[in-house]
Amino acid sequence: MAQSKKITNDLRVVIIGAGMAGILSAIKLREAGYTDFIIYEKANRVGGTWRENTYPGIACDVPAHLYTYSFEPNPNWSQTFAPGDEIEAYFEGVAHKYGVMESIRFGEEIKSCEFADGRWHLLTAKGERDTADILIAATGVLHHPNIPDIPGLDTFAGARFHSARWDHTVPLEGKRVGVIGTGSTAIQITSALAAKVGKFELFQRTAQWIMPIENAHYSEAERASFTRDPKLMASLRDQLHEMMIGGIANAVIKADSPEMHMIEKACLDNLENGVKDPGLREKLRPNYRAACKRLIFSTDFYDAIQHPNAELVTEAIEAVEPKGIRTKDGRLHDLDVLVLATGFAADRFVRPARVIGRDGIDLDTVWADRPFAYLSISVPNFPNFFMLNGPNGPVGNFSLIQIAEFQLGYIMQLLDQIRAGTCQQISASLAATEKFDEARISAGKGSIWSTGCKSWYLDKHGVPASWPWAYSRFAEVMATPELDAYDLVS
Ligand code: NAP
């Protein structure tokens, strides 16, 4: 075994991003005795996606008691699916409680990270430099708005913004609001706004399957009992876990599983029973299988789109004009406000930061075909660079907090090797990464995501980019790293 070259607390760790995964990293590093770590955060507040997405109706589609750090249960969640501001407040509260705030450098965007002389050399947008032994990218999955390439978009004379950049100074009361897109975001916006604005038009390119899962409120008495008896909360968390993992996450990986057919039936019944007008019902009927795109949970979308204020526009968009949207049938849809609920570039991860690994290898070049990482965590030749919720991890209807906790536990075990002096540099081996990728691509073919729809779950080759196996398999592989899969350099 190599000589111990580092002392325990001597490793400097830089974390990029102060969202859910960055806050988690800081807490767990401190707990493990690391003293020299810092989070670089481009914004001025913590919260990541929950800081950026503030659109009306925003809520998490993973039950709140599951979308919670395992070590910091929250008895006060108001609903099964918590609203965005509650989630953001939760992360802020946790960051304060665990003393994470003082480890964050706000307003500092990492522009480049270069591995040279055994360390990471970082440059921020402000021109500051820093170095690190270990780099953890906690940069999230969906954070770069996808701005559609629609002719004339910039000519719109009213207010226009992406759903993740909601402009709360724009009044909506009595206004004609158009929303492009029918993903989870647009569905929530529709439920929240259709009845409240002057006129609401939803521009649908592809219909969505909607699973009617109730978003029940927790009563004051229930919340008080969670506070009094945390075991109640733990047991609720277990039940929700079983419902999400057994009922949905494990179903979607087998396109023909009985559970998958149950989901389809629930969605179909919802459509048949929930939409009165046969013409509208047909417009809302997807022509692909349920859960091929991310499954949407809503009990109020169909009501909202049937509100007298609301119109579902299925005619394709020709162009945006100063006064509104012109559809291919020649009709001009006059609008005051245009919302682009058009999703995100899902293949960015740590980018646009430039990441240069061993011997000048550029991550952009390595990922030119598609982003990939061994077990979603490590890329060959990028030593001591680890990702949380990186490419090919489970991003279905899982709690990404649970996923990040697993991943961080795994990463910390890799770091233990460095702390113990077994090696100084760790990155996945090319052979292990290729083997993993081949198996992943092959398994993805049996998933519901491969049954013939377009979604952000697919890479540019139409291959599911998400973890295609059971949640339990993910938990198993995260339990203990197989060091044979890594290049360890002393
Ligand atoms: P999304 O699921 O990627 O949906 C984007 C929508 O925009 C799609 O309906 C897409 O149509 C449409 N679109 C894109 N470009 C277009 C164009 N040029 N013309 C017309 N339509 C266009 O994005 P999202 O709704 O923001 O959701 C992304 C993910 O964020 C979700 O899947 C979920 O993981 C997460 N999220 C979760 C929640 C929640 O927790 N409830 C809420 C919001 C978001 P096509 O379908 O035809 O491509």
Side-chain angles (χ1 to χ4, degrees):
M1 187 179 282
Q3 277 267 300
S4 177
K5 290 168 187 138
K6 290 273 178 196
I7 56 163
T8 303
N9 298 329
D10 199 24
L11 289 175
R12 176 164 175 77
V13 185
V14 164
I15 301 155
I16 310 177
M20 169 276 285
I23 295 169
L24 169 72
S25 305
I27 293 171
K28 292 293 164 187
L29 284 168
R30 178 166 297 141
E31 236 175 62
Y34 290 84
T35 52
D36 190 6
F37 60 86
I38 188 158
I39 305 180
Y40 281 91
E41 168 54 58
K42 66 178 186 303
N44 291 316
R45 293 203 338 265
V46 301
T49 196
W50 302 104
R51 180 195 62 232
E52 294 194 349
N53 285 275
T54 60
Y55 58 80
I58 184 168
C60 183
D61 60 3
V62 173
H65 281 280
L66 264 192
Y67 196 77
T68 305
Y69 295 121
S70 59
F71 52 88
E72 191 59 32
N74 175 17
N76 295 317
W77 291 122
S78 65
Q79 285 164 257
T80 308
F81 301 106
D85 55 354
E86 252 180 62
I87 300 173
E88 192 195 3
Y90 168 78
F91 286 126
E92 254 186 52
V94 173
H96 278 289
K97 176 173 171 182
Y98 287 82
V100 175
M101 296 304 252
E102 53 261 36
S103 303
I104 305 176
R105 215 164 272 175
F106 286 106
E108 285 277 18
E109 182 177 0
I110 296 289
K111 287 305 261 187
S112 75
C113 320
E114 189 165 354
F115 189 77
D117 307 323
R119 300 196 90 201
W120 285 98
H121 298 261
L122 314 172
L123 177 65
T124 73
K126 290 182 181 160
E128 303 278 326
R129 290 182 186 279
D130 199 350
T131 53
D133 299 297
I134 311 294
L135 190 56
I136 297 180
T139 41
V141 186
L142 300 173
H143 52 119
H144 296 290
N146 166 45
I147 304 301
D149 188 13
I150 299 175
L153 195 57
D154 290 336
T155 67
F156 183 60
R160 169 177 71 88
F161 41 83
H162 186 272
S163 54
R165 301 285 181 272
W166 197 274
D167 184 347
H168 291 276
T169 65
V170 173
L172 298 174
E173 207 177 319
K175 301 290 179 198
R176 297 162 302 178
V177 177
V179 174
I180 301 180
T182 49
S184 309
T185 302
I187 298 301
Q188 291 180 341
I189 294 173
T190 303
S191 297
L193 284 190
K196 292 196 181 140
V197 297
K199 165 98 181 138
F200 184 89
E201 292 188 69
L202 182 65
F203 292 82
Q204 168 183 291
R205 186 165 68 179
T206 310
Q208 283 278 6
W209 287 109
I210 312 282
M211 177 110 165
I213 299 192
E214 201 62 54
N215 187 10
H217 282 262
Y218 292 111
S219 67
E220 223 169 274
E222 277 174 309
R223 286 184 265 152
S225 62
F226 289 148
T227 307
R228 264 194 321 273
D229 184 1
K231 278 196 196 124
L232 269 181
M233 247 188 311
S235 128
L236 173 66
R237 186 176 161 100
D238 290 346
Q239 283 168 30
L240 292 168
H241 179 83
E242 196 33 53
M243 179 184 95
M244 296 301 287
I245 302 304
I248 295 178
N250 287 347
V252 295
I253 54 171
K254 286 195 203 100
D256 287 313
S257 59
E259 293 83 1
M260 200 53 252
H261 290 297
M262 278 166 65
I263 291 172
E264 274 168 341
K265 181 160 182 340
C267 293
L268 188 60
D269 289 350
N270 189 32
L271 176 68
E272 300 295 353
N273 302 329
V275 184
K276 291 189 198 84
D277 175 57
L280 180 63
R281 197 185 307 136
E282 288 322 299
K283 285 182 175 180
L284 286 166
R285 188 185 302 278
N287 61 0
Y288 56 87
R289 292 188 57 188
C292 182
K293 286 171 179 280
R294 185 185 177 96
L295 199 53
I296 295 181
F297 303 149
S298 176
T299 48
D300 46 18
F301 168 68
Y302 287 149
D303 287 343
I305 200 66
Q306 292 173 92
H307 190 277
N309 275 358
E311 182 180 347
L312 179 76
V313 181
T314 53
E315 193 67 34
I317 295 172
E318 172 84 34
V320 175
E321 299 181 5
K323 285 181 154 182
I325 292 182
R326 174 90 57 190
T327 42
K328 295 248 188 217
D329 56 1
R331 180 176 159 202
L332 177 68
H333 301 255
D334 282 301
L335 298 172
D336 302 304
V337 181
L338 174 54
V339 179
L340 306 174
T342 43
F344 300 86
D347 64 346
R348 302 284 82 202
F349 300 99
V350 64
R351 300 177 289 179
R354 197 154 174 249
V355 185
I356 308 291
R358 207 173 259 146
D359 305 323
I361 300 175
D362 191 329
L363 190 63
D364 242 344
T365 311
V366 174
W367 281 357
D369 190 37
R370 57 159 69 104
F372 63 89
Y374 176 65
L375 298 181
S376 145
I377 279 174
S378 170
V379 182
N381 291 313
F382 289 78
N384 303 352
F385 168 64
F386 305 106
M387 286 174 285
L388 293 168
N389 291 311
N392 315 137
V395 289
N397 295 82
F398 292 102
S399 160
L400 284 191
I401 300 189
Q402 290 183 303
I403 300 303
E405 286 192 14
F406 275 125
Q407 292 173 329
L408 191 68
Y410 180 100
I411 292 166
M412 304 271 290
Q413 292 181 66
L414 294 178
L415 298 191
D416 285 345
Q417 299 297 319
I418 301 177
R419 287 174 117 185
T422 311
C423 61
Q424 287 198 2
Q425 298 174 19
I426 297 190
S427 53
S429 75
L430 192 58
T433 305
E434 284 176 352
K435 193 169 161 210
F436 167 74
D437 228 32
E438 251 172 55
R440 172 186 76 73
I441 289 169
S442 164
K445 290 180 185 150
S447 71
I448 194 73
W449 310 309
S450 290
T451 55
C453 70
K454 277 199 302 180
S455 81
W456 66 267
Y457 285 158
L458 304 177
D459 67 21
K460 67 178 183 192
H461 303 288
V463 172
S466 181
W467 181 262
W469 298 289
Y471 183 88
S472 55
R473 174 156 169 180
F474 181 73
E476 268 161 38
V477 294
M478 286 294 107
T480 319
E482 276 184 25
L483 291 182
D484 289 354
Y486 287 86
D487 292 330
L488 308 183
V489 176
S490 298

